[in-house]
Amino acid sequence: MTLAVRISFVLSVTLFLGYGVSCLFMGAMIEEFARYDLSRFRRLVGSLEVLGALGLLASLVIPLLVFPSAGGLALLMALGVLTRVRVRDPWIEAIPATVLMVINLFLCVAALQGVQVGR
């Protein structure tokens, strides 16, 4: 596994576990989703982030899980960027979601090329 894939993998797992748990349990995220008029999706988004991160971790044992896990997380982040655009946030606010989207797209490409994160 290349160093770039390892770093991307660790960043994605760590950040999505953190963001997902935050989304599920932190008051600030409740307010943020209300601001987006997406309160009804907060628990779903948090759960999907945690499940995506756990899917990436599980890919250490079942390599086929990299692509759907990273792909799902990239899709979530693409929707996050679109949400920031829709509410007219400053572009700098969309940078974290954009970076995480790119990281997970990179993991998808690596998986398609046969790079295994666990080896």
Side-chain angles (χ1 to χ4, degrees):
M1 168 172 48
T2 69
L3 181 60
V5 171
R6 285 182 184 167
I7 291 170
S8 297
F9 180 85
V10 170
L11 278 173
S12 186
V13 169
T14 304
L15 292 173
F16 277 110
L17 280 176
Y19 282 136
V21 169
S22 172
C23 209
L24 290 170
F25 301 111
M26 302 298 268
M29 293 305 284
I30 293 170
E31 293 172 16
E32 195 74 357
F33 273 76
R35 184 172 77 85
Y36 302 146
D37 195 27
L38 295 172
S39 294
R40 65 192 177 279
F41 296 112
R42 179 183 56 84
R43 286 189 183 105
L44 174 63
V45 170
S47 297
L48 290 173
E49 289 178 349
V50 170
L51 287 173
L54 293 176
L56 285 176
L57 281 175
S59 75
L60 294 170
V61 178
I62 307 167
L64 290 175
L65 291 176
V66 173
F67 187 81
S69 299
L73 291 170
L75 177 60
L76 271 176
M77 292 301 95
L79 294 171
V81 170
L82 290 174
T83 298
R84 294 282 188 177
V85 170
R86 182 179 64 88
V87 299
R88 292 188 166 86
D89 276 349
W91 66 269
I92 200 159
E93 298 286 331
I95 289 175
T98 303
V99 169
L100 284 169
M101 179 182 64
V102 170
I103 285 172
N104 282 280
L105 288 173
F106 172 70
L107 290 173
C108 285
V109 170
L112 287 175
Q113 293 178 345
V115 176
Q116 294 184 0
V117 295
R119 295 199 162 70

